[in-house]
Amino acid sequence: MKARLTFRGRLLIGHILPVLLLVPLVGLALIYLLETRLILPTLANEMIDQGILVERLTRDQPGLWTSPAGAQALLDSVDFRRPSRIGLLTPGHVLLATSRPDDRSLVGETIAHLPDTGGLTTPWWGITPGDQAGEQILDVVLPVREADGRLVGLVRIYRRITDIEQNFASLRLLVLAVLLFGLLVSGSTAVLLSESVSRPLKTITQAIAAAPLEGHAPPLPEVGDDQFSALARAYNRLQARREDLEDTRRQMLANVVHEIGRPLGSLRTALHALQAGAVQDRPLRTDLMKGMAERIDRMGRLLEDMALTYRGLEPQEIHVQAVALAEWLEPLLPLWAESARQKALDWEAQLPEEMPVLRTDPDRLAQVIGNLVNNAIKFTPRGGQVRFGVALSAEGVDLWVSDTGIGIPAEDQRHLFVPFYRSVQPSWKAPGLGLGLSIARSITASLGGSLSVHSLPGQGSTFTV
């Protein structure tokens, strides 16, 4: 089974591998540039300076260019810095004399690979092949001319590259040491960076793996403003959301049990009465049957509301038709006004003089607005005010319900349309399942509209369709 690299391992490899690949290339390029653009030109300039001194000495002895013995005597009389080798040559590259005894066997021979001296006016230097296979020589050639400009000879200063290798070796060791130090620093930095990345990531991973499926999860510290802090904040928000959903689920279960338990209790009582002989009492039997039918209808509506909580209306459930708002509101406004007066609330309807005709489902729209009106009445204390209005705009028609009730805190408004969410605690202070607003928004969206809220605690709320 193949071992898999950890995230930290991949991070280290991703940081160090390019450095390992680049270091040899950079080292070779650096050594090449230093050798060819620094050391060799510097040595060539030193050798040119030596050649200029020799060229000046030869001006006092013009006859030596025709006398190999005189040329050799001149070189023997001067002590030159080694390992440079000096040779005096004729314009045809024939060696007249040399400063090194081991090269005197070449006297009288033509030295190959030197530049054409016909147009040579300044010192020349370059790398030429030696006598032995693979040997290279750093050559410097200076022309010697008489006063009339006639070329009479050549001064050759040369060094074998093998004699310079010691300088090259020291330079290569220095470059290698610098590159290895850089590699060590880069590797240490990579280890520290990978640790700084993998440690918080490992902490978050362990927290996610150990997070409970239920109950409270300890939050992660949100320190700094980097990606890991953002990840920790996202994790904490998810855990807070999970806990909110758990609370909502528990509250939902309690509310469903409460809402279904009451009609079931009434049905059980009526059934026991019928079994005990009430079936023989026709008026009582009729009343019991009506009560049982009402309780069954109530549970049916409850189940329908629960179904609408997590889905919109199906197309076959929407019956769109032309609805004149004035005619549609005519039977509804008195019912809403009466409900408000029964709780000692002031009711007001603000309607424009002319109202348009909408294409919508009148029953579903009445369900939405009725829900909002009932909520406004439910959460407004006695002596308060509930208002309903219609506003026309270029974008469409707004139907709004406003109250002077308890209002909704900002932190509760973002959960307001979540199914089974109850902003009033304890929930028994406001009967119901907490489905009304989520159903109202679902129906409104199915009808092609939107539902929004504006509310301040203690100042009331305004819901707009």
Side-chain angles (χ1 to χ4, degrees), residues 190-202:
V191 171
L192 294 176
L193 288 176
S194 64
E195 180 66 19
S196 66
V197 171
S198 62
R199 186 187 301 113
L201 192 60
K202 183 178 181 181

Side-chain angles (χ1 to χ4, degrees), residues 134-146:
E135 184 182 37
Q136 289 186 317
I137 294 176
L138 174 61
D139 255 317
V140 172
V141 177
L142 293 87
V144 180
R145 297 180 183 273
E146 292 188 343

Side-chain angles (χ1 to χ4, degrees), residues 375-387:
N375 278 351
I377 295 173
K378 181 191 303 183
F379 295 106
T380 302
R382 290 178 176 274
Q385 184 183 53
V386 175
R387 294 183 299 160

Side-chain angles (χ1 to χ4, degrees), residues 124-376:
W124 171 92
W125 74 273
I127 304 296
T128 61
D131 297 330
Q132 301 179 4
E135 184 182 37
Q136 289 186 317
I137 294 176
L138 174 61
D139 255 317
V140 172
V141 177
L142 293 87
V144 180
R145 297 180 183 273
E146 292 188 343
D148 58 1
R150 184 172 61 88
L151 182 67
V152 294
L154 301 171
V155 177
R156 182 193 183 201
I157 313 292
Y158 60 100
R159 294 178 67 174
R160 291 187 173 92
I161 295 298
T162 54
D163 296 335
I164 312 173
E165 284 293 333
Q166 183 177 1
N167 295 331
F168 288 170
S170 301
L171 175 65
R172 290 165 184 166
L173 288 175
L174 177 61
V175 171
L176 180 61
V178 172
L179 292 177
L180 288 177
F181 177 76
L183 183 61
L184 179 62
V185 172
S186 177
S188 302
T189 303
V191 171
L192 294 176
L193 288 176
S194 64
E195 180 66 19
S196 66
V197 171
S198 62
R199 186 187 301 113
L201 192 60
K202 183 178 181 181
T203 301
I204 294 175
T205 302
Q206 291 175 343
I208 294 175
L213 297 178
E214 294 184 356
H216 177 68
L220 291 174
E222 302 175 12
V223 181
D225 194 27
D226 55 11
Q227 289 83 354
F228 295 109
S229 299
L231 185 59
R233 284 192 292 271
Y235 167 80
N236 292 337
R237 285 196 299 269
L238 286 175
Q239 290 298 331
R241 177 61 176 155
R242 177 187 61 80
E243 293 177 18
D244 288 343
L245 289 176
E246 287 183 8
D247 293 339
T248 301
R249 183 188 62 188
R250 286 190 288 267
Q251 188 62 49
M252 175 199 71
L253 182 59
N255 292 340
V256 168
V257 170
H258 178 70
E259 291 296 322
I260 294 182
R262 287 189 298 175
L264 282 178
S266 300
L267 288 174
R268 185 182 298 110
T269 300
L271 183 60
H272 288 168
L274 291 173
Q275 290 175 341
V279 69
Q280 306 298 330
D281 187 339
R282 186 168 184 174
L284 179 58
R285 180 183 65 192
T286 302
D287 291 341
L288 290 175
M289 295 296 288
K290 287 181 179 180
M292 293 173 69
E294 189 275 331
R295 294 297 186 270
I296 292 174
D297 290 342
R298 181 175 178 179
M299 286 192 292
R301 289 192 300 271
L302 176 62
L303 293 176
E304 181 182 357
D305 288 347
M306 293 179 65
L308 285 176
T309 300
Y310 294 104
R311 67 169 178 84
L313 292 172
E314 298 294 338
Q316 63 273 15
E317 297 178 292
I318 303 175
H319 304 287
V320 177
Q321 56 187 283
V323 178
L325 277 183
E327 297 178 4
W328 177 74
L329 288 172
E330 186 175 353
L332 296 176
L333 291 176
L335 296 177
W336 297 336
E338 180 60 27
S339 297
R341 281 192 292 269
Q342 288 180 1
K343 195 179 175 182
L345 301 176
D346 181 37
W347 168 265
E348 181 183 356
Q350 298 180 2
L351 306 176
E353 293 183 1
E354 295 184 5
M355 287 187 287
V357 175
L358 300 180
R359 289 198 57 80
T360 186
D361 186 326
D363 294 334
R364 292 298 184 178
L365 184 58
Q367 182 180 357
V368 172
I369 303 300
N371 184 292
L372 298 179
V373 172
N374 290 334
N375 278 351

